[in-house]
Amino acid sequence: MYTKDWIAKWAVYSPAKVALKELDTGRTLTYAELNHEANHLAAELTQRQGIRKGDRVMVIAEYSLEYVALFVAAQKTGFILVPVNYRLAVTEIDYLVGNCQPRLLLYEEQFQEKALQLSRLPEIEQVWPLQRLNDLCHEALEQYSELGFDAQEIAEDDPIFILYTSGTTGFPKGALYTHKMLLWNSLNTTMSLALTPADSTIVCTPPFHTGGWNVLLTPLLHRGGTVGFVKKFQPDRLLQLLAQERTDLFMGVPTMLKMMMDSPEFATADLSALRYIIVGGEALPLTVIQAWHWRGIKIRQGFGLTEVGPNLFSLHQDDAEQKIGSIGRPNFYVDIKLIDEEGQEVAPGEVGELCLRGPNVMPGYWNDPEATAKALLNGWFRTGDLLRADAEGYLYVMDRIKNMYISGGENVYPAEIERFLLTFPGVSEAAVIGVPDEKWGEVGKAFIVTKGIEVSAEAVQSYCCANLARFKVPKYVELVAELPKSDTGKINKKVLKASV
C-alpha cells in the first residue's frame, strides 16, 4: 500500500528545502520543519485531546503555515479536515456543524465573533482559537522534541476532507475527498503539467474550495515543490510577487487574469520564469489570452469539480487560441462519456451530460445517501455538465443542466451565448439566464459589462441576430456596471435570477 505521509518522505529526501512560504509575513517552513510541526500536532490531537481517525476537525480560517501543518497531521492520523467558507452567515455555518458534527472547531481571530455566535457551539466538544494551533507549532520548533503518536492504518478510501458544495435542494452537500483521490489527482496533475520538485507556485484562492487545496498546493507538496500563499488577491502586488519569487506556475480564475492584465504592472513585470498559467472556472476571452501571449505567457485551460479531481481536463498551451473555449481533453487517469436523458452515449458533436469514472471519483456525500445515489451510477459520476466533443476529441462545456433553458422547444445553453457575446467589441463580461416568456416558454436575458468602448443594447442584439440562430438571441440585453461574483470569482447566476 502506498504511503499517505508525503511530508515525512520529503523530510528525509529534502529536509532543508522550503516547502511553504507566507508571502504576507515572510515566514517559511522547510520540509523537515513542516514534518516536525505536523508530528507534534498529530501527537497533541490524538494523545492529549482524544481526536481519532474519522473525527471531524472544522476550520474557519484563511491559509497559514499552521493550517497546512494541520492538513499534514490529518494525512498522518486519519482525522477529517472540514474547511469552512468564512464568508458564510452564522446560520449557514450552523447547518454545517449540525451536518458533520465536528469534535474540534478551530477559528481564526478575525472570525471569532462569527464562531462564538454559532447556536450549535455547545454541541462541539472542543473549540480553539487558531492561535492555540499556532502556539503548538511554535512550541514544536522551539523545543524540537517530538511527542509520540500512534501511527494509524489509513485506507485509501478514508476521507481526508469534507468539502461542501452548493446543493440543488438549497442545502450544501459534503463531498468526501479521500486519500486515494488526493494521490490520483496529484498524479494526473503531475503528468499533465510536468511538475518537478524545482517548481513553485503562489496560491491566492481560498482554503474552503477544492481549487485552493488540490489544483496546485497538494500536487506540489506531493512532488516536493514550494508553495507560497497570499491571503488577498491584489493584481498589482501579485504580479510583483510572481516576478520577485520567480514563480513557475500560477492558477487563477478568468476574473483574476483580466484584473492582472489591466494592472499598470502588467507591461513591465518580469514574468520570464512563469512557465504557464492554469485557468479554470470559465473560458477566457480571446483578447485576454492574446494579451498574456503578448507578454510571452502561455495559458493552460483546465476543468474539474469538487467531487472528482479537480484536475480532470487540460487544454495544452499551444492550443489556447485555435481551440478557444475548449477545456481540452481528459487527463491520463480519467474515463469520460457523454450521455443523453436515457443514459445512452451521444454521437460525436452532440451535446450530452458528462459522466466521469476513475480513481479520483468521490465515494459519496457525507450522510446523504439519496444525493449519493443520484450522483453515482454504476461507478460513473454524473456531473450535471453538458458538453460536446469536436472531431478531434476536444471537449467544450455547453452549460450546466440547471442553467440550460428551453425556448420554443429548443435547448439553449447560456455558456455558448456568453462566449459569443465576448466577441463583440467593448464587451468585457457577459452572463445569460433564461426568463419566463408567454409565447416561447423561456427566452434569454443577457447582462453585459462593457469597457473602453460605448456599447448599446440594440447593437449587441443586432450582432446576435446576424450571427446566431434566432432562438439563441437574447430577447433582453441589460448593460450593468458589474456582475455578481462567487467567492472563487465565478459569475453568480443565482443573484442574477433573483434580480429579475
Side-chain angles (χ1 to χ4, degrees), residues 18 20-28 63-65 200-204 226-232 234 237-238 240-247 250:
V18 172
L20 301 172
K21 293 183 177 183
E22 272 187 3
L23 298 173
D24 295 320
T25 65
R27 296 193 305 149
T28 65
Y63 272 125
S64 65
L65 301 182
S200 64
T201 192
I202 296 175
V203 173
C204 57
T226 300
V227 180
F229 301 96
V230 290
K231 290 182 183 291
K232 307 294 182 189
Q234 300 168 306
R237 182 164 180 266
L238 188 58
Q240 294 166 0
L241 286 172
L242 290 172
Q244 173 187 309
E245 296 294 318
R246 304 292 294 165
T247 304
F250 174 72

Side-chain angles (χ1 to χ4, degrees), residues 456-468:
S456 71
E458 294 75 19
V460 171
Q461 279 189 312
S462 297
Y463 181 65
C464 290
C465 288
N467 295 281
L468 292 175

Side-chain angles (χ1 to χ4, degrees), residues 322-341:
Q322 65 175 344
K323 291 291 185 179
I324 185 167
S326 172
I327 58 173
R329 292 178 283 202
N331 286 338
F332 203 87
Y333 297 105
V334 179
D335 293 332
I336 76 162
K337 64 179 179 179
L338 305 183
I339 63 171
D340 59 22
E341 292 179 357

Side-chain angles (χ1 to χ4, degrees), residues 2 156 179-189 311 333 359-360:
Y2 60 85
E156 59 181 18
H179 291 261
K180 179 172 74 172
M181 293 170 69
L182 202 67
L183 170 71
W184 287 96
N185 177 70
S186 177
L187 293 175
N188 265 331
T189 307
N311 297 322
Y333 297 105
N360 50 355

Side-chain angles (χ1 to χ4, degrees), residues 251-403:
M251 188 281 286
V253 297
T255 302
M256 292 178 181
L257 267 64
K258 292 173 189 174
M259 292 174 69
M260 292 164 74
M261 182 184 78
D262 292 335
S263 164
E265 298 284 333
F266 183 69
T268 56
D270 180 6
L271 304 177
S272 57
L274 200 58
R275 196 154 75 242
Y276 37 72
I277 288 177
I278 301 100
V279 184
E282 308 159 19
L284 267 183
L286 181 60
T287 53
V288 180
I289 294 173
Q290 290 172 334
W292 282 94
H293 282 184
W294 171 78
R295 280 298 337 263
I297 307 301
K298 297 293 187 180
I299 299 293
R300 292 285 297 250
Q301 184 78 31
F303 180 81
L305 56 156
T306 302
E307 294 91 341
V308 188
N311 297 322
L312 300 171
F313 293 83
S314 185
L315 181 69
H316 194 274
Q317 59 266 30
D318 293 344
D319 294 325
E321 291 190 39
Q322 65 175 344
K323 291 291 185 179
I324 185 167
S326 172
I327 58 173
R329 292 178 283 202
N331 286 338
F332 203 87
Y333 297 105
V334 179
D335 293 332
I336 76 162
K337 64 179 179 179
L338 305 183
I339 63 171
D340 59 22
E341 292 179 357
E342 284 72 45
Q344 301 301 310
E345 289 195 55
V346 302
E350 293 183 359
V351 175
E353 181 185 0
L354 173 65
C355 296
L356 297 158
R357 185 178 64 182
N360 50 355
V361 174
M362 69 164 189
Y365 294 106
W366 174 263
N367 281 346
D368 198 338
E370 184 179 348
T372 298
K374 287 181 180 178
L376 294 168
L377 185 64
N378 299 324
W380 290 89
F381 179 78
R382 300 188 63 165
T383 66
D385 292 307
L386 297 169
L387 275 67
R388 68 170 177 85
D390 69 13
E392 297 172 281
Y394 288 81
L395 278 296
Y396 294 78
V397 179
M398 304 306 292
D399 220 321
R400 290 285 297 167
I401 287 177
K402 62 184 178 183
N403 287 340

